[in-house]
Every structure is written in structure tokens, then in C-alpha cells.
Amino acid sequence: MLAVLFGIVGFGLFLAVSFLPGAIAFGSEFGSEVPLGTAGLALSVVTVTIAYLGAANGLGQSQVGTVEPLARTSVPPRAVAVGRVIAQTVQSIWFIIPIGALLLAGVAIGGGLAVAAVIFVAALPLMAVGLLVGRIIGGTAKYVNERLQVSLWVKALLALGLMGAMFLGTQVLLNSRYETGSQFSVGPIIPGTPLQSYAAVVFAPFGTAPGPLGIAVTGLVLAAIPVGALGALRLETHMLVADLGTDSSTAGQVEESYGVPRLFEVTPSARIAWRYLVRTRRDPRMLAHLTPLLFGAFGMAGPALQDPVFLLEVGPAAAVIAGAVLAGGAYCLNPMGDDRDQLPLLLTSSPSIDVMLRGRMLAGIAFGLVVAIGIGTPLALVEYGPRYLLGQSLLAVVLTTTSAGVAIGLGAIAPKFERREYMNIERAHPSQWAFIGFLFGGMIVGAIGFLLLGLTLSGEYVLAVTFGWLLYVAILGVSSWGGYHYALRRFDEFMLDDM
């Protein structure tokens, strides 16, 4: 609950700083002339945003919860579908209410309550249409996916490609507008003309002249609401009766088996590490809590497109730090919550869970080294010399190894056993507070390590740098050792009632 409140307050403050002045200016324009162009663009943004939320809701609807057999047999399917659509819609768009209220308050400050009321009336039908159309699109994609049984990795790659294309496209447009000075037309990107005509109808009390196109668009929007609601309910009912998105729809599928490589046969912990890596190969949703790292990677992609040298200069260090964060964040931030189904057997049949904890740490270290060395080393070969390459590789090993111990200690402080939905994936996700603290802490610790590496290669301040390395490694070692032993002691004391 605290994380949710923190997110609402933080996002609300961000909107207040970023968009409230624009909303006030938009409302003040009504004092002289109705800004139909701006209104059309604003209504387009609202419609597309709500449609996106509806599509995401329809695509991930199976994650919200399944319908019990008693409800399937005792309640008409249409009534169950109506309840599911309403409940899932409220869960996906509830945070729009305070955001919309904030923006409408800004419009009221600039133009008065009447202007804000008319804008609310104008946006409400478009929001309903966008939500329903998006729901149908997302539900249809869900239906096709369940019928075709597309691989989870294919879906993950498609989602990443779509997110990357949207982000990079936005970067290119903003760069052409604000840096090169060239103008890009909004018209071909967002269909503002029909919605400008629609705004002329809605803002008729303020002196606008409705045209035939505006009247036609208004009629189509109003007619699309019941048609979209009927279509969304029929699709939901069909998917409910067909039992799509549940375990029964994927029954009979045989998982591919993988032999244990010799490297992972050395100890029982190593075999468990291989087990977690195989589970990730079969179900990439185990790493859904690492999605914020993607936005960091996309943030680097923008400057890299403008200046490829930036990627070669910063890329090696960024890859090492990302690998260290992955080493701890992938499997160690919620070590018991991920295995909740097996905990009764584990807690009653084994005197200690040290083997499982070390297995998780080894799996994270192996995963992190693939990124830290597998990506960071080739990038460093282009721009830096052998000394830097050797130092970077050693630092990568130190950071990934200690990161796993620190993360497993954080996971022991705030273990999460209850399943919750995040990024349309329902599972026992790690604590958001633990992940955020670990992410920013890892970035700071990694930056300090590369600062010491740079000073070492420069040959200056030898005594100070030597003392800095000793202190740095000592703090990391003690933190990692302490985190592992704290987690071991905490989880060894666990009882079934603690879950």
C-alpha cells in the first residue's frame, strides 16, 4: 500500500510540474478564441492513451484471476463476463481519475469551471470508445495467442521490439523538432482533424460553428459506445466459455528437457542454479520485475543514436553495472516467494535452505556475467586498451558476485509470498522498495568502482587509490557475506505459519 501511495504522489507531482501549466494555458485560450487545434490534439492523446490501457487490459486479462468452477456453472456466462470486464477495467484505469482531476483543475483555473465541465463532457465518450476498442483489440490478440500457442519468448521479444520502436521513434521526432530546428507535422501522426470537428460540436456553447464532419463524428462516437460494449462482452463471454488463458488451455504440452552441463554438475548448488536458468528459459515472466532496467537501456539508446561514440565510451561500464544488477535482481530479491509451492516440502524435509540460496546466487551470477562480460568486453575492445579490459573484467566478477549476496539479504528483509499483478504478470514479485533500493545502490556502487578503475589506470594518487580499493572491496565483501548469512539465518527459522 505504501508503494502504491508513493507512486501516486510521485506521479502526481510529476504531472503537476510538467502538465499543469499547459492545462492552465489551454484553459486561458478560451477567453479569446476556442483553440480547436489544441483541443483536437489533446482529445487524440486522451483517446490513444485510454485505448492503450484497454488493449493492455484485454491482452493480460487472464492474469487478474480465474473464475471458479462453481461460478461457471451457477451464473450465466454473460453475467460473469460483465463482472470481469468491469472489475478488470476499474483495476487498470483507476489511477486516471486523480490525473484527470488534476488536469481539469488546471483548465478550470485558466478558463473557468464551465470550460472544464465541457472538456470533461467532450472527453468522456472518447475515453469510453478508446477503452472498449482497445479492450477488443487486446482481447482478440489474447484469443489468437491462446489458439496459436505462441512461445513466451516470442511474445517477450515482440513486446520489447514494440517498446523499443515506440521509444526510439519518439526520440527521433523530438530530436527533429527541438534540436535540428525542423518541424514535423502532427496531422499525419495523430488524426486531429476529425476530433477538431468533434470539438467544434461540443464547444458550440462557446461560439464554434459545428460542421457536417463534426456532426458525423459525434454520431459515430456515440454509436460506437454500445457497439463496442456489446463486442467486448461477446468476446469476453466466448473466451470464458472456451476456458482460454487458464492452465487447462495449455494442458498436454510437453516441456523441452535440458541436460545439465558439466560446469553446473560440480555441486548441488550449481545443479539448482541450472534449474533456475532452465525455468527462466521456459518462462521469461520470472524476470518481469526487471522491466525498469529496459527503460534505462532505452534511455541510453537515444543518445547512442545521435552519437555512436557515446555507446562505445559508456557502453562497457553500463553493461558491467547492468550485469551486476541482473546478478542480484534476477533470482535473489525474493528467494522464498518464487518457490512458495515447494516451501512445505522444503521446510519440513531439509534442515537448512543453504543449498537453495547458493543455487539462486550462482544462477544470478551466471546470468549477470553473460551481460557484464559477454556484452561489456566486446564493447571495451573497440575503445579501450588491454589494461582497461582486464580491470573491467575483474571488476565485473567482483560486482556480480557480491551483488548476489547483497540482494539475497535484501530479499530476506522483505520477502513476498502473495501473488500480485505487475506488468500484466501475476506472481510473487519482489518488494518494490527492495528492488528500487538495490537498483540505485548498484548503480552508485558500480560508478564508484569505475571511478577507482580510471584513477588506477591514470597512475595518480597511488596511496589514496590503493586505500580506496581496499575499503571498496572490504565493504562489498562484508555486505555480501552479511546479506547471505542473514538470509540463511532468517529463512532457516521460517515456519509454515510465516508464509
Side-chain angles (χ1 to χ4, degrees):
M1 180 61 70
L2 289 177
V4 174
L5 293 176
F6 178 79
I8 295 174
V9 172
F11 194 52
L13 291 176
F14 171 76
L15 284 175
V17 174
S18 302
F19 297 106
L20 190 57
I24 295 175
F26 175 65
S28 62
E29 293 182 19
F30 281 81
S32 56
E33 183 180 2
V34 178
L36 292 180
T38 307
L41 178 61
L43 292 175
S44 300
V45 172
V46 170
T47 306
V48 172
T49 302
I50 297 298
Y52 168 77
L53 294 175
N57 179 248
L59 186 61
Q61 58 184 292
S62 65
Q63 306 298 335
V64 181
T66 56
V67 180
E68 297 298 332
L70 179 61
R72 293 180 187 275
T73 56
S74 61
V75 181
R78 179 61 61 86
V80 178
V82 171
R84 283 170 63 94
V85 169
I86 294 176
Q88 295 165 11
T89 300
V90 171
Q91 290 179 3
S92 63
I93 67 169
W94 63 270
F95 63 92
I96 293 293
I97 297 176
I99 296 174
L102 176 67
L103 297 179
L104 286 177
V107 174
I109 294 174
L113 291 176
V115 174
V118 172
I119 291 177
F120 175 74
V121 172
L124 200 59
L126 294 176
M127 293 173 64
V129 172
L131 184 65
L132 293 171
V133 172
R135 173 84 186 193
I136 293 173
I137 294 174
T140 303
K142 179 70 176 179
Y143 179 81
V144 173
N145 168 63
E146 294 295 337
R147 285 300 186 191
L148 298 179
Q149 291 300 316
V150 180
S151 168
L152 290 174
W153 277 103
V154 173
K155 291 188 289 187
L157 292 176
L158 289 176
L160 292 180
L162 179 61
M163 293 171 60
M166 293 174 59
F167 182 84
L168 295 179
T170 304
Q171 291 291 313
V172 171
L173 289 176
L174 293 177
N175 180 56
S176 64
R177 172 64 177 87
Y178 295 108
E179 294 190 9
T180 64
S182 60
Q183 301 289 330
F184 62 88
S185 176
V186 177
I189 303 173
I190 301 178
T193 302
L195 293 184
Q196 291 172 5
S197 302
Y198 168 79
V201 175
V202 179
F203 294 138
F206 296 98
T208 59
L213 178 60
I215 297 175
V217 171
T218 304
L220 290 175
V221 168
L222 296 178
I225 295 177
V227 173
L230 180 62
L233 290 177
R234 288 181 64 89
L235 179 61
E236 177 70 22
T237 303
H238 178 73
M239 295 180 66
L240 180 66
V241 174
D243 205 21
L244 292 176
T246 62
D247 294 336
S248 61
S249 64
T250 57
Q253 294 185 5
V254 179
E255 294 285 358
E256 182 181 358
S257 61
Y258 299 88
V260 182
R262 291 186 178 181
L263 181 63
F264 290 92
E265 287 182 339
V266 180
T267 63
S269 298
R271 295 181 67 89
I272 291 178
W274 178 249
R275 165 183 173 266
Y276 284 113
L277 294 175
V278 171
R279 284 179 58 186
T280 305
R281 166 63 179 84
R282 292 172 176 172
D283 188 3
R285 293 175 298 184
M286 289 182 61
L287 306 179
H289 59 281
L290 300 177
T291 304
L293 291 178
L294 293 176
F295 297 102
F298 291 150
M300 286 190 60
L305 285 178
Q306 304 171 23
D307 185 10
V309 178
F310 173 82
L311 178 63
L312 297 177
E313 292 177 348
V314 183
V320 171
I321 295 175
V325 174
L326 288 174
Y331 307 107
C332 300
L333 283 177
N334 195 25
M336 298 289 278
D338 280 348
D339 292 316
R340 177 178 179 177
D341 296 338
Q342 304 175 24
L343 284 183
L345 177 62
L346 181 64
L347 295 178
T348 56
S349 62
S350 176
S352 177
I353 64 167
D354 55 346
V355 175
M356 189 195 77
L357 291 182
R358 289 197 298 269
R360 282 183 167 271
M361 293 172 63
L362 290 175
I365 292 170
F367 189 22
L369 287 177
V370 170
V371 176
I373 294 182
I375 297 178
T377 300
L379 290 176
L381 283 172
V382 179
E383 187 71 18
Y384 299 99
R387 295 175 59 208
Y388 183 91
L389 184 62
L390 176 62
Q392 175 184 291
S393 301
L394 293 176
L395 182 60
V397 174
V398 171
L399 289 177
T400 52
T401 304
T402 56
S403 173
V406 173
I408 214 160
L410 288 175
I413 294 175
K416 297 294 182 180
F417 297 102
E418 294 188 3
R419 299 168 67 89
R420 61 184 177 87
E421 187 178 359
Y422 176 70
M423 298 300 294
N424 283 331
I425 294 175
E426 185 182 13
R427 58 187 294 269
H429 295 283
S431 167
Q432 292 183 358
W433 291 105
F435 177 75
I436 293 175
F438 177 74
L439 174 61
F440 286 99
M443 294 171 61
I444 295 173
V445 170
I448 295 174
F450 276 96
L451 176 62
L452 289 174
L453 178 60
L455 292 174
T456 302
L457 296 178
S458 68
E460 300 177 355
Y461 313 108
V462 177
L463 292 178
V465 172
T466 302
F467 176 76
W469 274 118
L470 292 175
L471 183 62
Y472 183 75
V473 174
I475 292 176
L476 288 180
V478 170
S479 300
S480 180
W481 181 87
Y484 168 71
H485 283 276
Y486 171 77
L488 181 61
R489 186 176 68 255
R490 173 86 187 275
F491 290 138
D492 279 345
E493 296 173 354
F494 256 47
M495 305 294 290
L496 292 178
D497 293 338
D498 296 326
M499 295 171 50

